[in-house]
Amino acid sequence: MLLICLTGSALSLWSQKAPVFEMRGVWVATVVNIDWPAEKGMSVEAQKADFIRLLDMQQRNGMNAVFVQIRPAADAFYPSSYEPWSEFLNGKQGLPPTPYYDPLEFMIEETHQRGMEFHAWLNPYRAVFNIHTSSVSPSHITKIHPEWFVTYGNTKYFNPGLPEVRQFVTRVVKDIVTRYKVDGIHMDDYFYPYRIAGKEFPDEKAYRQYGNGLSKDEWRRSNCDSIIHALYQTIRAVNPFVKFGISPFGVWRNNSQDPDGSNTKAGQTNYDDLYADILLWLKKGWIDYVAPQLYWEQGHKLADFDTLLAWWNAHTYGRDLYIGQAIYRAGTNAAWRNPNELPNQLKAIRSYSTTQGSIFFSSKNFESNPNGWSDSLRYNYYALPAIVPPMQWIDSTKPPTPIFAKSNGNLFTLHYSGKQPVKAFAIFALPENVTENIAYATLIKLLIADKEVTYERLASLIPANNRLFAAVVSEHNVLSNWIELK
């Protein structure tokens, strides 16, 4: 049993009308130890402590999901029969933790204990981060099947044009979804790599073998379409409740290239350079959400944030839209030295009913509270909790309404006896004489528990004329009917 009181930063903010449902995510990059672990070769105790510290910080910031990079370069932050342990974990690829533990299992458990979602972030095609400096294990797939790979710049990539490559990546994802309680599988913008001036991606041999009469551009796009469709089918077959999402580069196409494109002048685009036809995947329903990386400021001359925000909102095709926001840009130019830049972006995002929230790149940047933005989230925009938006096409089943008992005037014991798993109890405040509708209520507390929890109403925090309601939140974020606490 849990004893919970409403305290802390919600003192003056409980009545602020914040979204009940909103994605509040943060990327946790492990490649070259950007966010976690802090450095290669940390002790197991230090690795665990570092991740707990990160989670606690983001929980204070109001986040409800983490997107953790568990496969940065055909290597793994978990025991895998397909790929070796990541060098970014223990300093040398293939080296397991000592004493042994499963980092992915640990991270998922710690994340779920806080009521947050865990999305497993994978790089589909990067195989060796730097061919000159990366540690490569003898068991790495580049050693076993060198014919599957090409080198472009300083990086070695899977060749997306080979059917056996797509099958291998699909097996890796199936293994993760089968063995781990992840809430989502997440991929970023690296499909075909960003172009290097004067260098052609070396896939001519595969094109001659598998091109089948398509132009090379069409063939490359069809290769990306094929892997996304295969992953979607695999995830749905293994666990239909696991979400599948993509975080693409922020520009699909410029309208100079396509009348359906955005009014931008991006030098490279998803469709024409990375061969990722995000709109097709959304139209087909092969992905559950898209999180475009809108890392430009409002008023940018070539890729204006507001222009792109409007464009993506017009092209969701019924799937969820989360906006990738660039806290890492803080201080990089005049616009990003303006403390209002990120908050103004957040307000613009919330003005669209077709946007379901934000994901911030990346976690480490919050540590220094740049431009006061950590405080802005913690004490203002994210001071009140929010539930990760449910996806009706994945699960729309309402859990049973909780029951309660009252004692000592303001102490309520909430109980859930349904068979469907739940992850939290939600407490709402509603001003008197207002229609009994969640649209007019304020979510003031999420109590992480699956069966029973005790909640105390403190009169000094919630006006006496407000009514209180309680509901339960299912594992897939579906809210039950609520019951008034009186």
Side-chain angles (χ1 to χ4, degrees), residues 196-443:
I196 300 173
K199 292 187 177 183
E200 178 68 10
F201 188 76
D203 59 352
E204 180 64 25
K205 181 180 177 182
Y207 173 57
R208 287 198 305 267
Q209 185 175 359
Y210 296 107
N212 200 27
L214 298 173
S215 72
K216 185 176 279 189
D217 284 3
E218 290 171 336
W219 172 72
R220 286 173 174 171
R221 274 188 290 276
S222 74
N223 294 331
C224 291
D225 296 343
S226 295
I227 185 68
I228 293 300
H229 186 229
L231 291 172
Y232 165 76
Q233 289 184 313
T234 298
I235 293 167
R236 283 291 186 270
V238 175
N239 186 342
F241 298 114
V242 173
K243 306 167 192 177
F244 181 32
I246 307 292
S247 174
F249 178 69
V251 178
W252 175 70
R253 297 191 89 184
N254 299 309
N255 60 8
S256 61
Q257 300 160 302
D258 189 317
D260 288 335
S262 53
N263 184 20
T264 50
K265 297 178 181 178
Q268 300 196 45
T269 69
N270 282 293
Y271 186 91
D272 297 285
D273 300 282
L274 307 180
Y275 304 100
D277 189 358
I278 314 297
L279 293 199
L280 176 69
W281 308 343
L282 288 165
K283 289 175 185 176
K284 294 286 190 180
W286 293 344
I287 56 177
D288 298 302
Y289 67 85
V290 63
Q293 299 169 20
L294 302 193
Y295 292 166
W296 303 277
E297 64 266 21
Q298 292 176 314
H300 191 281
K301 292 180 180 179
L302 302 180
D304 169 50
F305 178 89
D306 291 325
T307 297
L308 284 164
L309 176 62
W311 187 90
W312 281 102
N313 271 277
H315 295 85
T316 62
Y317 301 97
R319 290 323 206 198
D320 277 10
L321 171 63
Y322 313 137
I323 300 301
Q325 291 191 262
I327 191 170
Y328 80 93
R329 293 289 309 278
T332 55
N333 63 23
W336 290 98
R337 286 190 289 273
N338 179 356
N340 294 318
E341 179 64 38
L342 204 72
N344 284 344
Q345 290 186 8
L346 191 54
K347 285 187 277 190
I349 288 167
R350 282 181 169 177
S351 72
Y352 288 90
S353 62
T354 40
T355 298
Q356 285 77 29
S358 302
I359 311 174
F360 295 86
F361 189 86
S362 66
S363 182
K364 194 172 187 66
N365 296 277
F366 284 92
E367 294 178 2
S368 61
N369 190 23
N371 290 332
W373 289 338
S374 298
D375 286 346
S376 291
L377 295 181
R378 190 176 299 184
Y379 301 117
N380 186 356
Y381 298 99
Y382 291 178
L384 292 172
I387 302 165
V388 172
M391 294 178 175
Q392 298 296 314
W393 58 93
I394 286 182
D395 187 9
S396 59
T397 304
K398 278 190 174 186
T401 307
I403 59 175
F404 74 94
K406 184 179 180 182
S407 59
N408 301 326
N410 287 315
L411 191 65
F412 300 90
T413 299
L414 306 171
H415 183 74
Y416 171 74
S417 57
K419 294 181 180 179
Q420 181 182 351
V422 296
K423 64 180 180 182
F425 291 76
I427 307 295
F428 296 88
L430 186 73
E432 64 176 350
N433 301 321
V434 172
T435 303
E436 195 173 299
N437 189 307
I438 194 171
Y440 308 119
T442 299
L443 176 62

Side-chain angles (χ1 to χ4, degrees), residues 153-212:
N154 292 324
T155 304
K156 189 170 285 190
Y157 297 94
F158 285 91
N159 188 339
L162 301 179
E164 51 267 46
V165 160
R166 298 193 293 272
Q167 293 163 7
F168 177 80
V169 174
T170 302
R171 286 197 297 270
V172 169
V173 171
K174 181 179 181 180
D175 177 53
I176 295 166
V177 177
T178 300
R179 292 197 290 133
Y180 293 97
K181 200 173 175 59
V182 296
D183 298 290
I185 292 292
H186 178 82
M187 291 184 174
D188 54 24
D189 49 325
Y190 293 99
F191 287 91
Y192 280 83
Y194 288 89
R195 291 185 189 271
I196 300 173
K199 292 187 177 183
E200 178 68 10
F201 188 76
D203 59 352
E204 180 64 25
K205 181 180 177 182
Y207 173 57
R208 287 198 305 267
Q209 185 175 359
Y210 296 107
N212 200 27

